[in-house]
């Protein structure tokens, strides 16, 4: 499945129709085969070949194919038609489409339109909507609510979410604004603010500051910060110390991941 993360796309699901006869089945009108073949062609970077199969499946009402097609068209610069297919799929209840539509609307500066779609997706468990919703709320000058979603992002067990959030904050120009808010709360002793601030600073290549805040977060009882600290140390070629913090996190994982 194609979903937007920052200005790029990632694939988060594989084809469910990989037997040799899928092209024949698609040609005979099997919608599952059309969708799977289109997906496989995207993976193979044969976008021009993927589009017709996905379009046929989408025209036949396949909700997932609509998401694939919307993402593909967006990648090809066909934003208006991409929005059409994402909206159809979102209206049918597909949470990935809700995220994709919300992200596209936000990218175009249509924050008020984006917010309800991202909220629906986030509340339904689509994790990347959490960070994007927070950024959209910043654009709407709802900083306090945005911060609550950033904190929620830091509590998920998706390792890609904080990097995506850091990227979106940087690209949207809100990084300094969020950093300042978190820093004030961290300095007031808020352990979760320390942890989120440290994780974001690590993504912004400010290792010494990140390490300091992550250590303070762990000392203040935020066990999950130990994992981000371990990763930071690991990436700094301090593997021995990193392993100690990985063990610390594992031993306290029940408390670390609420």
């Amino acid at each position: 499945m194609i979903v937007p993360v920052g200005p790029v796309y990632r694939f988060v699901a594989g084809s469910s129709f990989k037997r040799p006869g899928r092209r024949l089945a698609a040609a005979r009108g099997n919608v599952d085969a059309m969708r799977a073949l289109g997906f496989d062609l995207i993976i193979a970077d044969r976008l021009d070949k993927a589009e017709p199969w996905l379009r046929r499946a989408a025209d036949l009402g396949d909700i997932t194919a609509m998401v694939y097609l919307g993402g593909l068209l967006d990648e090809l610069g066909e934003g208006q038609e991409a929005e059409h297919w994402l909206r159809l799929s979102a209206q049918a209840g597909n949470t990935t489409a809700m995220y994709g539509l919300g992200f596209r609307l936000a990218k175009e500066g249509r924050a008020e339109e984006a917010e309800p779609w991202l909220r629906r997706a986030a509340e339904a468990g689509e994790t990347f909507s959490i960070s994007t919703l927070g950024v959209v709320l910043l654009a709407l000058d709802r900083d306090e609510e945005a911060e609550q979603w950033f904190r929620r992002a830091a509590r998920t067990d998706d390792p890609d979410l904080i990097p995506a959030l850091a990227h979106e904050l940087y690209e949207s120009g809100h990084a300094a604004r969020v950093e300042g808010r978190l820093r004030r709360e961290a300095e007031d002793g808020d352990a979760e603010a320390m942890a989120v601030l440290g994780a974001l600073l690590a993504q912004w290549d400010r290792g010494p500051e990140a390490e300091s805040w992550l250590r303070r977060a762990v000392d203040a009882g935020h066990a999950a910060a130990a994992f981000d600290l371990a990763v930071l140390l690991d990436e700094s070629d301090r593997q021995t110390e990193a392993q100690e913090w990985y063990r610390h996190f594992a031993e306290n994982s029940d408390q670390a991941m609420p």
Side-chain angles (χ1 to χ4, degrees), residues 10 13 34 62 74 143 180 257:
R10 67 176 187 140
M34 294 176 194
D62 188 280
D74 201 19
D143 291 33
M257 302 302 294

Side-chain angles (χ1 to χ4, degrees), residues 218-229:
V218 175
D219 290 343
H222 196 287
F227 181 79
D228 290 314
L229 177 58

